[in-house]
Amino acid sequence: ISEKQLISLCNHYSNIVVKGVINSKLVDGTYNFLSKYYKNYDFYISTGTPQNEIFYILSKINLSQFFKGVYGSPTTKDNHVKEILSKYKYKINEVVFIGDALSDLQAAKSNNITFIARHTMSDELKNQKYLIANFNNFNEYLNSLKF
């Protein structure tokens, strides 16, 4: 296929994915946790989703106001965390990375920060020290952890 056709197909695929994400259900408790605690904690997003797409998605699902920073591809999650730690002068014991992908775990490990896995089918994540299913009562859970 031509380069023009490839770009058109990639754009079409991207639109399907973005629409699917926008129409998907949030993990239980996410909105309540974010809206209640965004003034107490600094929330960031580190994702493999392209930067422009994640901004669009967050605006469409009314979550963008809860995040101090949003980081997408092409930059890696490892570099997102490095930048956040450096830019905002956080100590590593002040930061947790909550994720549901192996790349999230790897970004946390490479930056020596605590990782909280959201339960998925991944064996590597099922065996993590800190594991959650959703964000119901998450603040209580977070306060109970000993890092």
Side-chain angles (χ1 to χ4, degrees):
I1 63 175
S2 70
E3 176 129 0
K4 184 177 178 181
Q5 289 171 311
L6 179 61
I7 291 169
S8 176
L9 288 171
C10 288
N11 288 336
H12 180 68
Y13 176 75
S14 175
N15 290 335
I16 291 169
V17 171
V18 167
K19 189 179 285 186
V21 171
I22 290 169
N23 292 326
S24 65
K25 186 177 179 280
L26 289 174
V27 173
D28 286 342
T30 299
Y31 188 86
N32 289 338
F33 175 72
L34 290 172
S35 64
K36 187 172 182 179
Y37 293 104
Y38 78 101
K39 292 182 180 176
N40 301 74
Y41 302 114
D42 294 339
F43 295 128
Y44 298 87
I45 289 182
S46 173
T47 180
T49 301
Q51 187 82 29
N52 61 328
E53 288 180 13
I54 193 60
F55 281 128
Y56 178 75
I57 291 166
L58 289 171
S59 71
K60 286 297 192 185
I61 61 175
N62 298 314
L63 292 180
S64 54
Q65 70 273 17
F66 302 131
F67 295 95
K68 187 168 183 175
V70 178
Y71 298 81
S73 71
T75 307
T76 64
K77 293 177 183 182
D78 177 47
N79 285 329
H80 296 160
V81 176
K82 278 183 178 65
E83 182 177 335
I84 292 165
L85 291 171
S86 172
K87 183 176 181 179
Y88 298 100
K89 308 295 185 221
Y90 295 116
K91 297 175 186 152
I92 58 173
N93 65 342
E94 297 174 322
V95 178
V96 297
F97 194 123
I98 305 161
D100 62 1
L102 194 53
S103 59
D104 299 328
L105 172 61
Q106 292 165 341
K109 280 185 176 182
S110 69
N111 286 283
N112 298 312
I113 61 173
T114 300
F115 180 70
I116 299 175
R118 193 177 73 77
H119 182 68
T120 64
M121 299 308 294
S122 168
D123 286 336
E124 292 90 348
L125 297 184
K126 284 182 189 177
N127 297 321
Q128 292 304 300
K129 181 177 181 179
Y130 304 113
L131 184 65
I132 61 170
N134 56 51
F135 288 92
N136 294 325
N137 304 310
F138 182 71
N139 193 57
E140 292 80 7
Y141 173 75
L142 190 59
N143 288 327
S144 74
L145 300 179
K146 306 289 184 241
F147 302 117

